[in-house]
DNA sequence: TTATTCGGAAATTAAAAACA
DNA sequence: GTTTTTAATTTCCGAATAAT
């Protein structure tokens, strides 16, 4: 191929033909067109964070992977949960949809999370298991709520089992799988307690009350281990944070009754 | 037949990431 | 700092189609 001209004229550009770069160029001359070079060239090269496409593809693949696995589980193709590590199911899109739903419809009943604080943690979800577990359990819980539309998942009226219910189960299994791989008690966090809350709420909805009870007792034990039942633990925290912690603490106690 | 259109390969460019 | 990788944009080849 002959050397490409540095800049093709407006007409050659539009016509997708080789321009000689002169003014008027040969093509415009023979076609009796006015030869102009008015078009402002766009900036070339990646914009914003690099690898946008590849991360978008990964995201899409993982998202379909939840949708595919929901379908497979319902059709009996999905193998039972195994110990083997699988890539996390959670995607940015799922998290965003669930958080939007949670903070619009649920957080007034469960006022122990702060949207801003959660949003700040999202970028760490892949690296930080504590954050991953909180978000995946929150999504598992949100998936169970009437009116929640999980991204990429549509209910099939032919099946008696709700697709959202299966998505919730898979996300819950994912939470527990990730959780099993780190020592929770080394450093008991507020995220870990909130995760317990969502796990037990999911088990309640799944009618698995014994498991729900187990995670409630586990949370109560953790609360005692970090003395969250003592008022002095809240000193030094800002008022909002302290009140959110108290609310979670009381939610556990109300559930225990 | 020649002229024109346009899908998309290849080249170019620049920003982000990796490296020294 | 320099080099490499990646992505956005541009040029224009050449097949398809239209006009003559």
């Amino acid at each position: 191929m002959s050397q490409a001209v540095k800049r093709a004229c407006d007409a050659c550009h539009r016509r997708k033909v080789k321009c000689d770069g002169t003014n008027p160029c040969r093509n415009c001359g023979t076609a009796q067109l006015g030869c102009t070079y008015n078009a402002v060239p766009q900036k070339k090269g990646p914009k914003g964070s690099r690898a946008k496409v590849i991360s978008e593809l990964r995201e899409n693949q993982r998202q379909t992977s939840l949708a595919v696995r929901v379908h497979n589980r319902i059709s009996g193709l999905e193998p039972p949960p195994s110990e083997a590590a699988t890539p996390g199911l959670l995607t940015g899109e799922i998290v965003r949809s669930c958080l939007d739903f949670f903070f619009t419809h649920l957080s007034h009943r469960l006022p122990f999370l702060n949207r801003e604080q959660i949003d700040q943690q999202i970028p760490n979800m892949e690296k930080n298991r504590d954050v991953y577990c909180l978000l995946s359990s929150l999504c598992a819980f949100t998936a169970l709520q009437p009116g929640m539309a999980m991204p990429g998942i549509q209910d099939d009226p032919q099946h008696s089992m709700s697709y959202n219910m299966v998505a919730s189960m898979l996300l819950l299994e994912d939470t527990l799988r990730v959780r099993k791989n780190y020592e929770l008690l080394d450093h008991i966090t507020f995220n870990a307690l909130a995760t317990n809350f969502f796990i037990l709420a999911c088990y309640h909805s799944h009618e698995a009350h014994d498991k729900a009870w187990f995670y409630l007792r586990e949370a109560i034990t953790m609360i005692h281990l970090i003395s969250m039942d003592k008022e002095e633990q809240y000193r030094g925290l800002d008022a909002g944070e302290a009140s959110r912690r108290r609310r979670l603490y009381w939610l556990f106690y109300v559930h225990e009754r």
Side-chain angles (χ1 to χ4, degrees):
Chain A
M1 187 175 106
S2 62
Q3 184 76 40
V5 74
K6 197 90 178 164
R7 174 108 191 258
C9 75
D10 298 336
C12 290
H13 175 73
R14 172 78 225 289
R15 296 173 64 199
K16 298 189 176 184
V17 291
K18 181 162 176 58
C19 186
D20 60 15
T22 57
N23 196 352
C25 73
R26 216 170 32 214
N27 283 325
C28 289
T30 53
Q32 297 178 331
L33 291 165
C35 188
T36 57
Y37 290 81
N38 293 335
V40 181
Q42 302 282 98
K43 280 219 165 193
K44 295 181 180 178
K47 293 179 176 57
S49 179
R50 208 175 75 173
K52 192 178 117 201
V53 170
I54 200 163
S55 56
E56 223 172 74
L57 287 167
R58 285 200 188 106
E59 172 100 345
N60 283 345
Q61 275 179 12
R62 290 208 324 191
Q63 194 188 311
T64 46
S65 97
L66 177 60
V68 166
R69 286 186 59 192
V70 167
H71 185 263
N72 287 352
R73 173 69 66 87
I74 279 186
S75 333
L77 300 169
E78 165 99 1
S82 75
E83 304 296 311
T86 51
L89 286 176
L90 220 49
T91 65
E93 196 185 356
I94 294 175
V95 170
R96 273 189 303 277
S97 307
C98 290
L99 286 175
D100 285 345
F101 190 93
F102 182 85
F103 284 102
T104 312
H105 299 104
L106 304 168
S107 72
H108 64 281
R109 278 196 287 125
L110 308 170
F112 57 85
L113 292 179
N114 174 262
R115 176 80 199 239
E116 222 167 276
Q117 215 173 61
I118 298 288
D119 282 340
Q120 280 168 8
Q121 298 191 68
I122 293 174
N124 300 327
M125 77 178 187
E126 296 291 345
K127 288 169 271 170
N128 186 328
R129 288 184 265 211
D130 194 49
V131 173
Y132 189 90
C133 288
L134 171 65
L135 293 173
S136 56
S137 61
L138 183 149
C139 291
F141 174 71
T142 308
L144 294 170
Q145 307 308 312
M148 173 62 202
M150 291 294 280
I153 294 172
Q154 281 169 343
D155 252 323
D156 178 353
Q158 293 206 307
H159 275 287
S160 56
M161 201 165 197
S162 149
Y163 273 45
N164 269 14
M165 170 73 96
V166 176
S168 166
M169 282 173 164
L170 289 166
L171 287 165
L172 187 59
E173 281 163 20
D174 211 35
T175 307
L176 298 175
R177 175 184 63 82
V178 173
R179 201 174 223 230
K180 215 185 297 177
N181 292 328
Y182 78 105
E183 191 42 74
L184 205 57
L185 299 181
D186 282 350
H187 185 226
I188 296 168
T189 61
F190 179 77
N191 279 358
L193 284 167
T195 302
N196 267 63
F197 183 85
F198 289 122
I199 294 172
L200 78 88
C202 286
Y203 277 134
H204 265 308
S205 302
H206 297 162
E207 302 289 326
H209 299 295
D210 46 350
K211 287 186 180 173
W213 179 251
F214 174 86
Y215 285 97
L216 174 59
R217 296 302 311 169
E218 186 181 80
I220 299 282
T221 305
M222 289 198 285
I223 281 172
H224 283 293
L225 284 173
I226 59 169
S227 311
M228 209 170 141
D229 51 338
K230 308 230 163 52
E231 191 52 31
E232 57 262 30
Q233 280 299 310
Y234 299 94
R235 272 187 223 127
L237 295 174
D238 78 74
E241 183 62 25
S243 90
R244 282 191 291 279
R245 287 179 184 231
R246 278 193 205 96
R247 287 176 192 146
L248 179 61
Y249 166 72
W250 282 108
L251 270 170
F252 279 124
Y253 268 92
V254 168
H255 267 77
E256 200 196 13
R257 299 293 112 208

